[in-house]
């Protein structure tokens, strides 16, 4: 609150730390997602994001970590509309659903550097998911600007037999 005299409210370490690079709060400001720019390839093998409970800033708690199954360096990330958007250098844009803040699930991705892999500083450097249109942009070091529209997948249902005329509100089953 006093920019000329900042005060440390809490301090916490996390496993396999190398270089705390960038992080972002969940939209409800209870979780902090942290990307360590130098752990991939040094202390962990996959793109790792650390989760902290910061609902009480004076008592931050390390919740755990998640990965996306790729060996790219995690870089800049931002939360928006219930999603976490991450630029992951050689594995591109990664989008995670934050319905469960402590266990994000990857729901979309686009690899901007399909011929590159591993822990190198090539590929998608950052992304920006805040346009009112839903458009997301990303800056790839070698390939330039990427523009995406991230949409929810549609659910397709196929019935095994003919559709019933009426499904009872008290309970019925339909084989799909």
């Amino acid at each position: 609150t006093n920019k000329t005299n900042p005060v440390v409210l809490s301090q916490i370490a996390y496993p396999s730390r190398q270089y705390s690079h960038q992080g972002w709060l969940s939209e409800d400001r209870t979780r902090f997602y942290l990307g360590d720019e130098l752990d991939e390839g040094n202390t962990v093998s996959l793109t790792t994001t650390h989760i902290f409970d910061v609902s009480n800033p004076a008592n931050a708690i390390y919740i755990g970590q998640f990965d996306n199954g790729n060996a790219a360096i995690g870089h800049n990330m931002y939360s928006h509309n219930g999603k976490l958007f991450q630029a992951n250098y050689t594995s591109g844009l990664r989008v995670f659903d934050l319905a469960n803040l402590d266990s994000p699930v990857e729901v979309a991705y686009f690899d901007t550097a399909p011929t590159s892999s591993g822990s190198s500083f090539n590929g998608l450097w950052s992304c920006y998911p805040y346009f009112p249109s839903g458009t997301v942009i990303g800056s790839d070091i070698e390939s330039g600007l990427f523009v995406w529209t991230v949409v929810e997948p549609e659910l397709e249902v196929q019935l095994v037999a003919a559709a019933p005329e009426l499904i009872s509100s008290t309970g019925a089953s339909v084989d799909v």
Side-chain angles (χ1 to χ4, degrees), residues 14-110:
Y14 60 94
S16 307
R17 61 191 172 279
Q18 293 290 304
Y19 179 72
S20 300
H21 176 262
Q22 190 262 4
W24 207 258
L25 289 168
S26 58
E27 292 172 285
D28 67 1
R29 300 180 186 265
T30 64
R31 297 297 184 272
F32 181 70
Y33 300 97
L34 172 71
D36 185 310
E37 194 174 38
L38 297 179
D39 61 348
E40 289 89 5
N42 291 313
T43 57
V44 297
S45 59
L46 302 174
T47 306
T48 301
T49 304
H50 299 276
I51 308 169
F52 300 85
D53 180 338
V54 293
S55 55
N56 176 358
N59 186 31
I61 300 167
Y62 182 73
I63 297 294
Q65 63 191 38
F66 66 95
D67 66 67
N68 69 8
N70 293 285
I73 296 172
H75 204 238
N76 297 324
M77 69 185 95
Y78 309 94
S79 63
H80 186 59
N81 289 336
K83 305 282 189 284
L84 184 66
F85 296 82
Q86 290 186 336
N88 283 203
Y89 279 119
T90 58
S91 72
L93 178 69
R94 300 287 163 164
V95 183
F96 297 87
D97 186 325
L98 293 179
N100 180 339
L101 295 175
D102 297 338
S103 186
V105 174
E106 187 173 82
V107 294
Y109 74 92
F110 186 93

Side-chain angles (χ1 to χ4, degrees), residues 146-158:
F146 282 79
V147 181
W148 299 279
T149 301
V150 179
V151 296
E152 295 295 322
E154 293 182 24
L155 176 64
E156 182 179 316
V157 176
Q158 295 180 350

Side-chain angles (χ1 to χ4, degrees), residues 3 85 139:
K3 293 179 184 177
F85 296 82
S139 174

